[in-house]
Amino acid sequence: MASSNLQIDSGRLWRDIHDTAKFGATPKGGVKRLTLSEEDKKVRDWFREACLAAGCEVHVDELGDMYALRPGRDNNRPPIGFGSHLDTQPTGGKYDGVLGTLAALEVIRTLNDAGIVTEAPLCIINWTNEEGSRFAPATMGSAAYVGEYTAENILGRRDVDGVSVAAALESIGYRGNEAMGARKLGGFVELHIEQGPILEAENKTIGVVEGGQGIVWYDGTITGFASHAGATPMALRHDALLALSELALAVEQAAITHKAVATIGEIKIENASRNVVPGDITFTIDARSLLTEALDKMDKAFKAAVAEIAARRGVGIELIPIWRKEPTIFNADYVEAVAQASSKLGYASRRITSGAIHDACNLSMAVPTAMIFVPCKDGISHNELEDAKETDCAAGANVLLHTVLKLAGVAGERKPG
Amino acid sequence: MASSNLQIDSGRLWRDIHDTAKFGATPKGGVKRLTLSEEDKKVRDWFREACLAAGCEVHVDELGDMYALRPGRDNNRPPIGFGSHLDTQPTGGKYDGVLGTLAALEVIRTLNDAGIVTEAPLCIINWTNEEGSRFAPATMGSAAYVGEYTAENILGRRDVDGVSVAAALESIGYRGNEAMGARKLGGFVELHIEQGPILEAENKTIGVVEGGQGIVWYDGTITGFASHAGATPMALRHDALLALSELALAVEQAAITHKAVATIGEIKIENASRNVVPGDITFTIDARSLLTEALDKMDKAFKAAVAEIAARRGVGIELIPIWRKEPTIFNADYVEAVAQASSKLGYASRRITSGAIHDACNLSMAVPTAMIFVPCKDGISHNELEDAKETDCAAGANVLLHTVLKLAGVAGERKPG
């Protein structure tokens, strides 16, 4: 069958990626397209037109999630969903989210060109507010879709200017009439740039994503004693920064020991001055692992370090877990479908874990789900410097094509000409 | 002689301290009296009136330094200077600078009451802008007095609102007509709160200050690599905060090894986010010692730590000394005069080093100089919580009285009644 070595149109996908990057283009070559902004409206309008032109019906749910439906032979089967998101970070790049959404569109165009009908319908989804930069939480649309939040709860969330999600949706005309979660899916596949350095470092084209790390977020405070940097002998100090320094190294050690990752990303010294011993510090910890057990062991290690450092240095340390998401394990059959598609196409691949949270991590709570990663330059993401190669993007889209064909099934195609 | 066990009026001094604290009083019980502000004008006017009432001539130099002169028997001798400053930090206390200035006034009132004439004249000085909060540099008036800066250079310095020192002096009517440094002194003695915890911890009333620590200020930058906190394995990170943490602990160790003090007081992670590995950090180091050699050895230790950490973690670290002040060694005879005065009055005392920079440290470059410290509560200063005991303030003023009597000499006094 022609479908067995079908390839997407790499140039068309690349053009779409760069054409839509004008909606929110930044001088440094990135994209600033906050969810539900005027720029987001523009890319949504473009996406809707493109999907309609590709023969899809486009539906919108009450949180603005967009569903572009391509009928199958058996439309009683729930569609196989694929896609990602079109919103970006304030200093975002051209690939994060965009690649997965536009590659899904490219897959449908390729199927159209080849005259292929799938057994199950297909459904491209553009999830609202994956980034979480304007409204909390991140992965808002997909989290609500799987029932983590009610639509009502989400609609009332406000941005820093006090604008609610409901008002923002209405202002750009994307408050849809489909009830949240009403559009059932048979499964979901998301193509995404890795946002990490592993594939590039190992010269692999495809990451077969087995799951997503669980995450614990902590907020911390250290209460030492601010004092004169000249007049306070070292032995009489209660220096919050030195306590933080020891804790940061203990956090690193715990992550290494438990084959996980952990990061102190933010730290603020209150009333900092170059000639004052730091008194009060606030900080954050982000700890992730594919194993629940490792999250628990890191938590214990952090608490032990906190107790020891606080007692020895005579400071108070508070460490409060403010969010925990258990690890995601993707559906084994779906992961295998991705691996087989990659293998069939001859791409160098490896199994990999997602360090970031994606819409697919939410979806996997409701339906069989998998992800496909492609390399990005130097692992950089959430940055205007974010970059990816045309050949890698095309490879990812081809793996997406053949994964979806396998999951939805091929009902018929034009005879090869 | 009556002068040999003369005591200042503790209640009068205490009243003056609390009366003048209303000029810039803060809700939390501190004082905000930035140099050359309207509040500074008010305390200067008060001080001028009080000095005139105590029989002094008041002169003002071109940078606003105020000199209140009490004639001696031999007015060909240069006066013995004493005093401090009346400006405060933005969230300052009631004692820093104020105690030394008002205690000098109290000494003159006490001499007046006792009818004592000194051999050499006496001169209370209120130095302009000791704090450096509004205009750089700190200890501006006394630094210019000893020739570290020209008056012209200082007059052109501007605050954050663009107001020059010259304009600020004129606006409050304290741009005097005396040429900078023209008023020669025979010596200088400054009473000050310790601003550190040592005297209180050791239950001493008087600190006989032998010198002031030398200081080196550094500005530093760490250039790591910002990356995704979930997607970047620990082994592939170039985490600027972990490099900073190791450096902070190395700086602490160097200070302990060399019996000095060193502090990282400011640190800023650029574009910090809880789920981003810190890429770029700016920070400061403040290193102090009474020994030039220890400053040099710490400098070497810092550089060695920087080189080792940078190489091991694959980050760039730049550490630039931006200011260096060599240690101050006060005049041995003057220090001995302070020690004898304290001993004669029966106060528990110890030799001590000033961790902070004071106007006296500048003066010692030009004339014999000494300082007297009294305890402050918990070593807290540059803070609205700054506190000191009436008895300790009085003890300091008594030591100042007897030190000055010894240095200026007693020419005559009323017969004891």
Side-chain angles (χ1 to χ4, degrees), chain A residues 248-267:
Chain A
L249 296 169
V251 165
E252 179 189 36
Q253 202 48 58
I256 292 169
T257 300
H258 300 293
K259 296 181 172 49
V261 292
T263 308
I264 293 187
E266 297 183 35
I267 146 175

Side-chain angles (χ1 to χ4, degrees), chain A residues 195 197 213 217-219 228 230-231 237 241-242 248 252 261-267 269 274 278 286 313 355-356 380, chain B residues 195 197 213 217-219 225 228 230-231 237 241-242 248 252 261-264 266-267 269 273-274 278 286 313 355-356:
Chain A
Q195 302 184 288
Q213 293 182 120
W217 276 357
Y218 299 85
D219 276 353
H228 196 293
R237 295 181 176 206
L241 180 63
L242 293 175
E252 179 189 36
V261 292
T263 308
I264 293 187
E266 297 183 35
I267 146 175
I269 302 172
R274 71 164 70 234
D286 171 313
R313 290 205 175 261
I380 299 175
Chain B
Q195 301 183 286
Q213 293 181 120
W217 276 359
Y218 299 85
D219 276 353
F225 192 81
H228 196 292
R237 295 181 176 207
L241 180 64
L242 294 175
E252 178 188 37
V261 290
T263 307
I264 294 186
E266 297 184 34
I267 146 176
I269 302 173
S273 171
R274 69 165 70 235
D286 171 312
R313 290 202 176 263

Side-chain angles (χ1 to χ4, degrees), chain A residues 156-400:
Chain A
R157 305 283 181 121
R158 288 175 191 278
D159 68 11
V160 290
D161 297 323
V163 179
S164 70
V165 169
L169 281 165
E170 274 155 21
S171 78
I172 65 163
Y174 277 90
R175 185 165 181 176
N177 50 16
E178 285 207 359
M180 178 51 62
R183 184 159 298 273
K184 297 301 176 200
L185 298 171
F188 185 72
V189 185
E190 182 170 1
L191 167 65
H192 208 281
I193 55 170
E194 178 195 347
Q195 302 184 288
I198 297 171
L199 294 177
E200 185 182 55
E202 298 186 4
N203 211 21
K204 305 290 190 196
T205 303
I206 298 294
V208 178
V209 189
E210 298 186 296
Q213 293 182 120
I215 304 188
V216 188
W217 276 357
Y218 299 85
D219 276 353
T221 57
I222 302 182
T223 309
F225 193 80
S227 56
H228 196 293
T232 317
M234 299 308 283
L236 296 182
R237 295 181 176 206
H238 304 278
D239 185 326
L241 180 63
L242 293 175
L244 184 281
S245 296
E246 291 182 336
L247 183 58
L249 296 169
V251 165
E252 179 189 36
Q253 202 48 58
I256 292 169
T257 300
H258 300 293
K259 296 181 172 49
V261 292
T263 308
I264 293 187
E266 297 183 35
I267 146 175
K268 180 159 185 278
I269 302 172
E270 301 299 326
N271 300 310
S273 171
R274 71 164 70 234
N275 54 5
V276 176
V277 176
D280 293 291
I281 285 182
T282 54
F283 65 98
T284 63
I285 300 179
D286 171 313
R288 309 195 190 198
S289 170
L290 197 59
L291 303 174
T292 296
E293 193 191 6
L295 292 178
D296 293 338
K297 284 184 175 165
M298 281 196 286
D299 185 81
K300 270 191 190 160
F302 297 165
K303 283 176 180 152
V306 159
E308 192 279 321
I309 294 164
R312 180 164 40 77
R313 290 205 175 261
V315 301
I317 310 182
E318 257 208 309
L319 191 61
I320 299 166
I322 57 162
W323 180 54
R324 179 169 172 137
K325 179 171 176 67
E326 294 304 324
T328 299
I329 309 294
F330 286 131
N331 179 281
D333 293 341
Y334 269 51
V335 173
E336 189 55 31
V338 171
Q340 282 181 14
S342 174
S343 164
K344 182 171 81 172
L345 295 163
Y347 298 128
S349 72
R350 64 163 279 167
R351 301 279 173 142
I352 197 168
T353 297
S354 174
I357 292 284
H358 294 285
D359 293 311
C361 300
N362 291 328
L363 267 291
S364 83
M365 296 167 72
V367 295
T369 300
M371 287 192 80
I372 303 156
F373 275 176
V374 291
C376 59
K377 188 165 186 294
D378 298 328
I380 299 175
S381 183
H382 289 193
N383 191 306
E384 291 159 282
L385 295 177
E386 186 183 276
D387 202 5
K389 288 184 195 156
E390 180 177 348
T391 51
D392 290 337
C393 291
N398 280 324
V399 173
L400 182 65

Side-chain angles (χ1 to χ4, degrees), chain A residues 98-149:
Chain A
V98 175
L99 172 62
T101 316
L102 299 188
L105 171 63
E106 176 54 33
V107 163
I108 282 184
R109 287 170 169 174
T110 301
L111 296 180
N112 290 347
D113 294 347
I116 293 174
V117 175
T118 53
E119 277 290 335
L122 300 180
C123 182
I124 312 176
I125 310 179
N126 170 32
W127 297 107
T128 295
N129 188 27
E130 194 272 349
E131 297 291 358
S133 306
R134 181 177 176 191
F135 298 103
T139 68
M140 194 174 87
S142 58
Y145 178 87
V146 300
E148 288 274 282
Y149 305 91

